[in-house]
């Protein structure tokens, strides 16, 4: 099982994160679809599901939440044409892509790979799956996340710079997609720090699919 994730897929978040990281010449300053998607992977040990608690690794510095729509790959595929990509996933949920922000900033400034800031144990939380056919168009899904009863993030997949089908077509050029692989599709504006005892709840089209505590 592989976990794919997408960085910088919402324009407003891109501005937010560039400011937070104080990037120096890292990446493009353009927030459009002309650039290739930013793809990274998470280790299989990063997967956290079934409402189990997330244990904040305090030795890694600041840990940020990033709420994302996640799709589940349902069949084997390689070099998939975008017009057929919708046939390769069967379910959708919300997830949290936890990020060790201090570590990520340090590694970026040193021009080193920043995979450990994204792929550490428990950093890929997923909620309850909803069959794709029971939801609206994949590019018209509304979602939000509350922490300790307060709204922290909300978004709509219509604001993605690169669509779900476009991402699948792109990724499948380099990786063979297999049944059970997951795709985190990027986060909207509003990321922030998480601490022990925080309670995170996520809604996809007003249906609660994510509910867990941080310890």
């Amino acid at each position: 099982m592989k976990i794919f994730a997408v960085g910088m897929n919402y324009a407003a978040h891109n501005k937010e994160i560039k400011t937070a990281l104080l990037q120096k010449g890292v990446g493009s300053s353009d927030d459009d679809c002309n650039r290739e998607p930013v793809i990274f992977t998470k280790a299989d040990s990063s997967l956290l599901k079934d409402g189990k608690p997330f244990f904040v690794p305090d030795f890694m510095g600041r840990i940020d939440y990033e709420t994302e729509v996640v799709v589940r790959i349902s069949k084997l595929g390689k070099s998939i044409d975008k017009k057929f990509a919708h046939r390769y996933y069967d379910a959708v949920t919300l997830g949290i892509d936890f990020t060790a922000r201090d570590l990520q900033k340090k590694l970026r400034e040193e021009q080193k790979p920043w995979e450990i800031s994204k792929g550490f144990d428990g950093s890929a939380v997923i909620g309850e799956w909803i069959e794709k056919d029971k939801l609206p168009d994949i590019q018209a899904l509304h979602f939000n996340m509350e922490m300790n009863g307060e709204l922290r993030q909300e978004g709509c997949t219509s604001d993605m710079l690169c669509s779900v089908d476009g991402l699948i077509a792109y990724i499948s050029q380099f990786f063979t997609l297999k049944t059970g692989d997951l795709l985190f599709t990027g986060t909207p504006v509003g990321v922030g720090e998480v601490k022990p005892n925080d309670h995170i709840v996520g809604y996809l089209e007003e249906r609660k699919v994510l509910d867990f505590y941080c310890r």
Side-chain angles (χ1 to χ4, degrees), residues 128-193:
E128 174 190 351
W129 292 107
I130 303 177
E131 292 180 19
K132 180 183 66 175
D133 294 343
K134 294 182 179 179
L135 290 166
D137 186 329
I138 191 71
Q139 293 306 145
L141 298 178
H142 293 85
F143 60 98
N144 64 74
M145 185 273 273
E146 297 176 358
M147 191 164 76
N148 305 325
E150 297 182 0
L151 180 65
R152 294 299 181 92
Q153 281 189 283
E154 60 183 338
C156 182
T157 54
S158 63
D159 293 327
M160 287 181 177
L161 298 178
C162 298
S163 68
V164 173
D165 290 356
L167 291 169
I168 288 175
Y170 179 80
I171 293 170
S172 69
Q173 296 178 73
F174 307 97
F175 300 92
T176 297
L177 300 182
K178 296 183 178 181
T179 301
D181 287 349
L182 306 180
L183 172 59
F184 282 67
T185 59
T187 191
V189 70
V191 303
E193 186 175 7

Side-chain angles (χ1 to χ4, degrees), residues 8 10-19 23-36 38 108 161:
M8 305 178 71
Y10 287 80
H13 169 65
N14 295 353
K15 295 183 176 69
E16 168 187 58
I17 206 64
K18 286 176 182 178
T19 299
Q23 293 183 28
K24 299 177 181 178
V26 179
S28 169
S29 61
D30 297 327
D31 293 328
D32 57 38
C33 267
N34 294 324
R35 62 173 175 81
E36 294 180 340
V38 177
R108 285 193 173 203
L161 298 178

Side-chain angles (χ1 to χ4, degrees), residues 21-212:
L21 288 174
L22 299 176
Q23 293 183 28
K24 299 177 181 178
V26 179
S28 169
S29 61
D30 297 327
D31 293 328
D32 57 38
C33 267
N34 294 324
R35 62 173 175 81
E36 294 180 340
V38 177
I39 306 297
F40 59 95
T41 60
K42 287 175 170 274
D44 57 3
S45 61
S46 70
L47 186 63
L48 188 66
K49 57 183 181 178
D50 301 327
K52 294 179 180 178
F54 170 68
F55 290 90
V56 181
D58 52 7
F59 72 96
M60 297 180 74
R62 173 178 171 140
I63 305 296
D64 280 3
Y65 58 77
E66 298 185 10
T67 308
E68 311 193 7
V69 170
V70 183
V71 299
R72 183 177 67 193
I73 302 301
S74 58
K75 61 190 293 188
L76 186 72
K78 173 69 175 175
S79 299
I80 301 165
D81 192 296
K82 181 179 177 180
K83 65 183 177 183
F84 299 125
H86 66 280
R87 301 178 182 176
Y88 287 82
Y89 55 96
D90 65 351
V92 185
T93 190
L94 276 190
I96 302 293
D97 168 20
F98 280 117
T99 302
R101 192 68 72 198
D102 292 338
L103 180 58
Q104 183 189 43
K105 176 179 179 291
K106 177 179 180 292
L107 293 170
R108 285 193 173 203
E109 288 175 345
E110 296 173 353
Q111 298 186 344
K112 295 178 180 178
W114 42 267
E115 198 165 19
I116 59 173
S117 70
K118 284 282 195 177
F120 57 91
D121 288 355
S123 63
V125 184
I126 59 170
E128 174 190 351
W129 292 107
I130 303 177
E131 292 180 19
K132 180 183 66 175
D133 294 343
K134 294 182 179 179
L135 290 166
D137 186 329
I138 191 71
Q139 293 306 145
L141 298 178
H142 293 85
F143 60 98
N144 64 74
M145 185 273 273
E146 297 176 358
M147 191 164 76
N148 305 325
E150 297 182 0
L151 180 65
R152 294 299 181 92
Q153 281 189 283
E154 60 183 338
C156 182
T157 54
S158 63
D159 293 327
M160 287 181 177
L161 298 178
C162 298
S163 68
V164 173
D165 290 356
L167 291 169
I168 288 175
Y170 179 80
I171 293 170
S172 69
Q173 296 178 73
F174 307 97
F175 300 92
T176 297
L177 300 182
K178 296 183 178 181
T179 301
D181 287 349
L182 306 180
L183 172 59
F184 282 67
T185 59
T187 191
V189 70
V191 303
E193 186 175 7
V194 68
K195 296 181 179 180
N197 299 318
D198 283 338
H199 181 204
I200 292 178
V201 178
Y203 297 87
L204 181 61
E205 287 294 316
E206 300 184 351
R207 176 172 172 175
K208 184 167 73 172
V209 295
L210 193 65
D211 189 343
F212 69 98

